[in-house]
Amino acid sequence: MTSRTSLAAGTLALSLLTGCSALTTRSASNPTSSSTTSPATTPAARMAQSGIAEKVGSQPRTQSKGGAMVVAVTNAVIPSGIVTASERAVSAVRGLDRHASANPLLVVVPRDDADFKKYTGTEPGSQLASTVTRGGTLPFVVVAPWTVRHANDVAARETLAHEAFHALTLEKLRETRPLWLLEGWAEYVGQKLVPQAPHKRTDIRPHLPSDEELRGANAADAYYVAFTFARFLRETYGNGAVMAFYTDAVTTTTDIETLAQRHFHKGLTQLETDYDAWYPTFR
C-alpha cells in the first residue's frame, strides 16, 4: 500500500518551498499480480477487480468520467471536485506513460476515518490519500476525509495525480523497487498536472534517498530530492528514456543498475554524481 500524507498544507509547491508537506510514507513490499482482465465497463465490475465490492455495499453511489470510476458507500457524498480531479489525473498519467494500465482508475470516497481505515487498513492521520495494492487484485485509491472536504484545493488535485500514477503503473509490479523511483516519478506526475513554480532548496543534499529516509521523520526532504532526481533525468534524457526505464523497473525483475545502464548508459553512482552537479541549475 502506498499513502500520501500531509504535514502541512499538502501541496507539492509547499514541499518544494518549505519541506513541510510531504507527502508520504509508502511501501512497494507487496507487489501485485499482473492483470489479465479486460478493462471494466461498470463500477461494479471494477470494484470486483479490486476485491472491495462487499465493503462498499449493495447500493453504492458511483460516478464515472474519463477513465475514472469514483465510488462511495450509501450516504457518502462524492464531491464534483474529486470526480474532475480523478479524470484529469488519468489523462495526465496516460499522457506521460503510454504503458499505463487501460483499466479504469478506481477512487473510493469514505464517509469518515473509520471508512478510510476499513479500506486501507490504516488510520488516516495526516494522509491525503492512499493507493492500496494487494496481490491478485487491481490497485485502487482511497481519498482521506480531509481531501474529500477540500476536493477543489490544489493539494487534492495534485494528490490524485500522484496516486493515479501509482494505481495505473503498479498494476504489474513484479519486484520490490526503491521508493526514490516509485515516489520520485509519482511526485513529478502530480506536479505536471498541477504546475507550481519550483523552488530550489539550499538546505538539502542532492542524493538518492533511502527507503528509510522516505519513511522517516524527515520524509519531506527525501520526497523533495526524489522528485528533483526524476526531474534531472527527464531534463537530461527526455521523457521517452525515463519512462522506458520506469516501465522496465516495474514490469520486469531486472536489477536497477542494469536498467540504468540500458536506458541512460550510466550506472546509478555516475547518475547520482551528475544529479549533484545539475542541482545548482535547478530553478
Side-chain angles (χ1 to χ4, degrees):
M1 180 179 72
T2 71
S3 59
R4 173 171 254 265
T5 66
S6 172
L7 304 182
T11 67
L12 178 59
L14 283 176
S15 74
L16 296 181
L17 179 61
T18 69
C20 294
S21 117
L23 293 180
T24 38
T25 26
R26 308 177 196 266
S27 169
S29 59
N30 297 304
T32 58
S33 301
S34 297
S35 170
T36 57
T37 60
S38 298
T41 57
T42 67
R46 183 63 186 81
M47 286 186 283
Q49 290 175 338
S50 289
I52 64 167
E54 291 185 1
K55 289 184 178 181
V56 173
S58 60
Q59 294 182 315
R61 294 173 181 262
T62 64
Q63 291 193 44
S64 299
K65 189 175 183 181
M69 293 182 177
V70 183
V71 303
V73 296
T74 304
N75 298 327
V77 175
I78 299 178
S80 61
I82 295 294
V83 178
T84 299
S86 299
E87 173 198 21
R88 291 176 178 172
V90 171
S91 178
V93 171
R94 291 180 177 156
L96 285 169
D97 184 2
R98 64 186 180 87
H99 296 287
S101 172
N103 286 303
L105 173 69
L106 178 61
V107 178
V108 178
V109 177
R111 290 170 296 192
D112 49 29
D113 289 357
D115 262 2
F116 184 89
K117 184 175 182 179
K118 178 174 70 173
Y119 292 114
T120 67
T122 63
E123 300 288 349
S126 59
Q127 295 182 72
L128 297 182
S130 180
T131 298
V132 180
T133 59
R134 297 181 179 129
T137 62
L138 299 188
F140 61 96
V141 175
V142 184
V143 292
W146 184 95
T147 307
V148 176
R149 294 192 300 270
H150 299 83
N152 295 312
D153 283 16
V154 170
R157 300 199 307 272
E158 199 270 330
T159 292
L160 280 164
H162 181 118
E163 297 300 339
F165 185 78
H166 284 315
L168 295 175
T169 65
L170 297 184
E171 188 175 295
K172 297 182 179 181
L173 183 67
R174 298 184 59 195
E175 184 77 17
T176 299
R177 294 306 193 186
L179 291 181
W180 61 257
L181 172 69
L182 304 182
E183 300 306 335
W185 267 243
E187 285 294 272
Y188 187 90
V189 171
Q191 196 271 342
K192 290 285 285 185
L193 179 60
V194 186
Q196 305 292 329
H199 299 276
K200 182 169 67 178
R201 291 179 52 187
T202 59
D203 60 334
I204 58 97
R205 176 179 62 86
H207 67 290
L208 289 180
S210 67
D211 285 8
E212 289 71 23
E213 289 177 280
L214 283 155
R215 295 190 180 108
N218 295 318
D221 296 349
Y223 273 85
Y224 173 87
V225 292
F227 161 76
T228 53
F229 180 72
R231 181 163 177 154
F232 151 70
L233 289 178
R234 289 176 186 273
E235 291 188 1
T236 305
Y237 298 98
N239 187 70
V242 172
M243 291 313 303
F245 167 72
Y246 178 87
T247 296
D248 278 355
V250 299
T251 61
T252 75
T253 58
T254 305
D255 65 272
I256 297 294
E257 181 70 19
T258 298
L259 293 178
Q261 292 283 357
R262 177 184 302 170
H263 294 286
F264 308 125
H265 308 293
K266 293 182 179 180
L268 289 176
T269 298
Q270 185 59 55
L271 288 173
E272 191 170 11
T273 298
D274 292 350
Y275 165 50
D276 183 67
W278 167 90
Y279 186 77
T281 72
F282 173 52
R283 297 288 186 269

